Amino acid sequence: MGDKPIFTPFSAEQLMPQAEKLEVMAKKGALRIGIPRETHLQEKRVCLTPDAVGVLVENGHEVFVETQAGEGAHYDDVLYAEAGAKICYNTKDVFQQNIILKIEPPDAEEIGYLQSNSLVISAVQPVTQNSEFFRAMAKKKVCGIGYEFIQDQHGYKPVVRLIAEIAGTSAILVAAELMSSSHGGNGVLIGGIAGVRPTEVVVLGAGTVGEYASRAAIGLGVSVRVFDSSITKLRRLQNNLPIRVSTSTLDPKELEKSLRRCDLVIGALRGETRAPTVVTDAMVQKMKPGSIIVDVSIDHGGCIETSSVTTHEKPTFVKHDVVHYAVTNITSRYARTSSKALSNFFLPFLLEMGNEGGFEHQIVRDKSFRSGVYTYKGLHTNLEMSTWFDLPFHDINLLMI
């Protein structure tokens, strides 16, 4: 017979109650965030204010700011340095960080500076891009997130709405300047004065830009009429505004009548790929001489046939005796307010990213954050962009399994 197993009795120490061992959470990840100076000639905004940088530094993160990055929004290097940021005098040094945060999409030179497996958060602006941009980003094997693609849990795009709110209000303020005699306008005050017919404004589009343009105009005592192809959007706009405004579908005859009478047109329509052109050259010819067109939709191709891109340095041109304003980046005109608004959006995202242990974990856990990804580890993950530019598509949700 074989040997019997030897029984070893428990010791007194082993029989004593033991302290419960709890799972210890992984240590928060320290982020290294680079904020380059925007090289686009018209871009004056910056993604993070000095106050936001201070919060990130206090939470153990490092922020590298290229010199003069906040100059356009009147945030100098001293303010960032006092908040704890490290000021970089070499552009390449900023792009060495694992997270790059910028307003405009990176250009070819900046893409060359990027480190593999880093995270780039910026606008994409697909209307201004070509397939080479997406291929270059994929070749670098970076994770690219377009902040205009990010959706919240309700399916809304918070950054798009944020920028649209500023753009809508800005359009009315810009128009008020252009209508004055000192700017070549008809000398019409954009407001309601006792005994004087109120200024008439036509707003094309009942989305966020149209809503905030209408809200600003109403506050000045202007007569507003809003056009849109969606009855649902028109109804929602009426419910959101403090008073009921005149609305109409995009009936060409009805639109032409309103254009003949109005003093100002705000173009605020968007489409799936580009804005639909609803105001023809012939319609513009019938408008009052000296009237104003502010085409906010120019970022998406413009919704007025006579519009063409202008700049902040030379913002207007005259065609058919009508003044056209079609600056592609209208919110940069109010760079400080826009920067604060964007900073308020990015700061919670970055803090949560640090708490999750880095952007890789954030992408896995946060569906809203994941919705903004358009390139991931060399793969194209945005269906709309892949279809538009004929790129191979990979579902980001399947890559997370």
Side-chain angles (χ1 to χ4, degrees), residues 9-18:
F10 290 103
S11 66
E13 183 179 351
Q14 288 175 307
L15 293 173
M16 292 293 292
Q18 301 294 310

Side-chain angles (χ1 to χ4, degrees), residues 98-111:
N98 60 353
I99 297 175
I100 305 300
L101 190 62
K102 65 192 309 293
I103 299 290
E104 298 288 334
D107 58 28
E109 184 179 8
E110 291 171 334
I111 292 175

Side-chain angles (χ1 to χ4, degrees), residues 156-170 203-216 226 228 233 236-237 240-241 266 268-270 296:
Y156 295 111
K157 296 180 178 178
V159 180
V160 173
R161 180 171 178 84
L162 189 69
I163 295 173
E165 290 175 2
I166 299 171
T169 304
S170 301
V203 177
L204 305 173
T208 306
V209 175
E211 177 186 336
Y212 275 76
S214 300
R215 190 182 297 275
V226 183
D228 199 286
K233 286 185 178 180
R236 183 177 59 198
L237 177 135
N240 290 344
L241 293 177
I266 304 292
L269 287 168
R270 293 189 63 173
V296 184

